[in-house]
């Protein structure tokens, strides 16, 4: 589907996921804005906007994935450059919102970094934020500007409905922890399949242990559902436990493929037959695997941008 955007609209990208930005611009029938984001010799970010944006409705596509701080600074400086160049409206399009896991004080004297990032984006000059599958949906409330929050579940469920057509009676959705139960229930409802829940404990950061599995899954195919996979410890431990305890096949899916550290090695050595991810974060060659299948969010973001630009409701895209 190709949209024909009317009026003065421009799509720009920093360096985090230019391929996604190019695809979004293509769906909108636009060329990517002429800009350059580089570094000075001391590591400072340099932004150059090489076309007029005065009065334009500007969208900057930049997930704040690894390297998180560099990508965040690129976004902030680009927003500032747009504001000082008299852009009419600036929307920060953040398919992946870094620092989202630091959304509360878990222990005394913890920072709430997700709120700090929201303040920085607003102070830099953004008028609106467009994002997808925040780790904690309440982060929308950290902003004093409008936030459009897209969800990836419909893209994932559409894929699995085709993959398991005629076999859904033999498929169970599994939440890898209690924090993902709401997301997994939404996934299971759209698939019209039952749900199981893994009870785990986390003795320290990025380490998890399986304690119990609640629900019927023996003799069935299972799909683990999460918003992001970082070190892959939780998802691979869950997959191995499900396989050992009677699942016939284990699949997994997530919106954000962070995949840090030894995540790829863990996935390749696990019981997971296929990991389905969305391309909110660009996967470099070293993070690709025969087990990983990627779906594009470009059309969904293009439709959201088109609706925001035209002043239409975006809410129908949330389901």
């Amino acid at each position: 589907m190709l949209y024909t955007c009317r009026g003065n609209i421009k799509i720009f990208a920093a360096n985090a996921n230019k391929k996604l930005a190019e695809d979004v611009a293509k769906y909108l029938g636009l060329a990517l804005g002429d800009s350059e984001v580089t570094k000075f010799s001391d590591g400072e970010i340099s932004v150059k906007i090489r076309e007029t944006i005065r009065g334009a409705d500007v969208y900057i596509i930049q997930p704040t994935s690894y390297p998180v701080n560099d990508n965040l600074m690129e976004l902030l400086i680009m927003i500032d450059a747009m504001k000082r160049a008299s852009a009419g409206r600036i929307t920060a399009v953040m398919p992946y919102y870094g620092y989202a896991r630091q959304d509360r004080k878990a222990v005394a004297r913890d920072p709430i970094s997700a709120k700090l990032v929201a303040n920085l984006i607003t102070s830099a000059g953004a008028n609106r934020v467009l994002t997808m599958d925040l780790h904690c949906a309440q982060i929308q409330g950290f902003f004093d500007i409008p936030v459009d929050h897209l969800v990836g579940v419909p893209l994932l469920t559409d894929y699995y409905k085709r993959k398991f057509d005629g076999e859904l009676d033999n498929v169970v959705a599994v939440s890898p922890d209690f924090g993902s139960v709401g997301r997994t229930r939404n996934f299971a409802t759209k698939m019209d399949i039952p749900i199981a829940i893994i009870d785990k404990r986390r003795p320290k950061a990025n380490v998890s242990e399986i304690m119990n599995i609640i629900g019927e899954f023996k003799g069935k195919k299972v799909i683990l559902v999460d918003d992001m996979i970082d070190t892959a410890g939780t998802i691979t431990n869950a997959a191995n436990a499900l396989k050992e305890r009677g699942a016939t096949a284990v699949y997994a899916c997530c919106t954000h493929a962070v995949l840090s550290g030894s995540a790829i090695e863990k996935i390749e050595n696990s019981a997971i037959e296929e990991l389905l991810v969305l391309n909110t974060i660009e996967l470099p060659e070293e993070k690709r695997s025969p087990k990983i299948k990627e779906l594009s969010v470009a059309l969904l973001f293009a439709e959201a941008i088109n609706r925001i630009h035209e002043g239409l409701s975006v809410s129908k895209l949330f389901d």
Side-chain angles (χ1 to χ4, degrees):
M1 183 183 296
L2 187 67
Y3 297 96
T4 303
C5 288
R6 298 168 295 180
N8 193 4
I9 175 174
K10 294 182 182 288
I11 308 295
F12 286 87
N15 292 322
N17 198 339
K18 274 205 167 176
K19 175 65 168 64
L20 175 60
E22 288 166 356
D23 290 345
V24 170
K26 192 179 299 181
Y27 279 122
L28 292 167
L30 301 169
L32 207 56
D34 189 3
S35 65
E36 182 182 27
V37 182
T38 57
K39 286 183 180 179
F40 293 107
S41 58
D42 64 353
E44 290 181 2
I45 306 294
S46 169
V47 170
K48 290 183 174 63
I49 311 298
R50 293 200 166 97
E51 62 180 87
T52 180
I53 56 168
R54 184 175 295 273
D57 189 13
V58 172
Y59 297 82
I60 305 169
I61 299 176
Q62 175 80 340
T64 49
S65 48
Y66 177 85
V68 181
N69 297 330
D70 282 358
N71 287 334
L72 177 59
M73 280 305 297
E74 286 184 7
L75 175 62
L76 295 174
I77 294 171
M78 188 170 262
I79 291 170
D80 182 73
M82 300 290 185
K83 183 175 76 170
R84 295 177 189 280
S86 302
R89 180 176 65 177
I90 303 167
T91 300
V93 181
M94 304 172 69
Y96 170 73
Y97 185 95
Y99 285 102
R101 285 172 283 184
Q102 299 183 45
D103 63 316
R104 67 193 185 283
K105 292 181 69 171
V107 297
R109 295 175 294 281
D110 265 4
I112 304 180
S113 306
K115 169 60 175 168
L116 173 61
V117 170
N119 289 345
L120 290 170
I121 291 167
T122 306
S123 296
N127 304 109
R128 191 178 200 98
V129 170
L130 174 61
T131 188
M132 173 175 266
D133 281 345
L134 290 166
H135 186 66
C136 172
Q138 289 87 336
I139 290 173
Q140 295 171 82
F142 290 177
F143 287 89
D144 294 322
I145 56 177
V147 176
D148 291 304
H149 185 212
L150 303 179
V151 292
V153 163
L155 295 173
L156 301 172
T157 54
D158 283 351
Y159 172 84
Y160 285 120
K161 284 176 184 176
R162 292 191 299 270
K163 184 179 183 70
F164 297 122
D165 185 30
E167 300 180 68
L168 290 178
D169 289 344
N170 195 40
V171 179
V172 177
V174 180
S175 174
D177 52 36
F178 283 107
S180 297
V181 170
R183 182 178 301 103
T184 306
R185 185 178 291 117
N186 183 26
F187 178 96
T189 299
K190 291 182 182 302
M191 293 277 291
D192 194 22
I193 59 176
I195 182 175
I197 303 166
I198 291 178
D199 175 23
K200 72 171 187 182
R201 71 183 183 96
R202 193 181 286 279
K204 59 183 179 179
N206 290 327
V207 176
S208 64
E209 295 176 2
I210 306 300
M211 304 297 289
N212 194 21
I213 303 176
I214 305 161
E216 295 296 324
F217 66 91
K218 291 180 181 177
K220 295 181 181 292
K221 296 175 180 177
V222 298
I223 305 172
L224 284 156
V225 183
D226 214 343
D227 65 322
M228 71 170 69
I229 297 175
D230 186 356
T231 61
T234 293
I235 208 82
T236 54
N237 286 346
N240 295 338
L242 287 162
K243 187 72 173 179
E244 289 165 5
R245 300 182 194 192
T248 58
V250 182
Y251 300 85
C253 64
C254 72
T255 300
H256 310 299
V258 179
L259 302 180
S260 58
S262 59
I264 297 299
E265 183 182 350
K266 289 176 186 172
I267 290 164
E268 290 180 340
N269 294 330
S270 75
I272 295 173
E273 295 196 11
E274 179 185 77
L275 171 61
L276 180 66
V277 305
L278 304 183
N279 67 337
T280 56
I281 297 172
E282 186 173 41
L283 283 184
E285 198 57 42
E286 64 270 18
K287 289 188 179 182
R288 296 191 175 273
S289 162
K291 282 193 174 185
I292 297 176
K293 181 174 178 60
E294 192 177 45
L295 300 180
S296 178
V297 296
L299 181 57
L300 181 59
F301 273 91
E303 186 171 352
I305 288 170
N306 183 64
R307 286 180 164 273
I308 293 168
H309 176 65
E310 298 287 348
L312 303 173
S313 172
V314 183
S315 62
K316 84 163 202 165
L317 302 178
F318 295 171
D319 297 323

